Amino acid sequence: MSEKKAKRLLQRNEVPEELTWDLTKVFKSDEEFEKEYQAVKDEVQNFRKLQGTMDQGSQRFLQIIENFLSINRKFEKVYVYASMKNDQDTTNAKYQGYNEMVDALAAEFSESISWFEPELLELDEDKLKQYFVEKKELKRKYFIMS
């Protein structure tokens, strides 16, 4: 009877690079991630200041929509990077920290946009239609309104 040799799980630094994620397509470096993380955090804080202003004209409405979508895209990018860096090696304290940072940012982000949908739904329908007449890019970029 032959003895089977027990397989050993490779450490992260032992895995051939071609078998790993190329996260440089998301951020070139951790420093780039950290810079973008801080920018998103600042934008999340600033978005709160727009609360209560959606009915202040088509330009403000467009600004709010663009900010909302921009923050969403940027947040998703930092979230994916931190999450995947942590998943690469769950014993790495630095990337555990990144993951915790974006989890906290997710809660902050959710809180800062909590006013958006209710305020959008409260907009007078005629006013909303007028915004689309005044700002053609709303229809072209974001919505289809009849």
Side-chain angles (χ1 to χ4, degrees):
M1 190 194 280
S2 67
E3 287 185 35
K4 288 189 175 180
K5 192 175 185 180
K7 290 186 178 180
R8 179 179 69 85
L9 188 61
L10 297 176
Q11 295 294 315
R12 172 70 184 152
N13 61 358
E14 299 172 322
V15 176
E17 190 173 331
E18 63 271 8
L19 298 178
T20 63
W21 293 321
D22 181 8
L23 295 181
T24 62
K25 297 197 184 295
V26 181
F27 289 109
K28 300 260 185 255
S29 65
D30 289 347
E31 292 76 24
E32 190 177 302
F33 160 80
E34 291 169 7
K35 184 178 176 183
E36 185 69 4
Y37 168 84
Q38 188 58 54
V40 171
K41 190 168 179 60
D42 293 344
E43 286 184 41
V44 164
Q45 293 287 329
N46 289 330
F47 193 75
R48 288 186 176 107
K49 297 173 186 171
L50 296 172
Q51 184 174 358
T53 66
M54 197 176 279
D55 64 350
Q56 294 179 358
S58 59
Q59 182 58 43
R60 176 55 65 125
F61 182 75
L62 177 61
Q63 176 192 12
I64 291 170
I65 298 295
E66 287 178 339
N67 284 348
F68 179 79
L69 294 172
S70 174
I71 294 168
N72 267 296
R73 283 189 296 272
K74 291 174 183 178
F75 172 75
E76 287 174 4
K77 189 175 175 185
V78 296
Y79 187 87
V80 164
Y81 184 84
S83 187
M84 292 180 83
K85 276 296 207 181
N86 184 55
D87 288 347
Q88 282 181 337
D89 182 357
T90 57
T91 65
N92 186 313
K94 178 179 181 177
Y95 299 127
Q96 288 174 357
Y98 280 7
N99 204 42
E100 290 169 10
M101 286 169 38
V102 295
D103 282 347
L105 183 58
E108 189 177 338
F109 177 51
S110 181
E111 189 275 325
S112 79
I113 65 170
S114 62
W115 61 269
F116 178 83
E117 284 186 34
E119 197 167 312
L120 179 61
L121 293 172
E122 288 175 11
L123 268 181
D124 178 71
E125 188 175 340
D126 291 334
K127 183 177 270 196
L128 191 56
K129 285 180 180 179
Q130 184 60 35
Y131 287 173
F132 280 82
V133 169
E134 293 173 10
K135 294 288 180 189
K136 301 291 185 213
E137 58 263 54
L138 284 169
K139 190 171 185 177
R140 285 193 303 264
K141 289 172 137 179
Y142 304 116
F143 300 100
I144 298 174
M145 293 218 23
S146 51

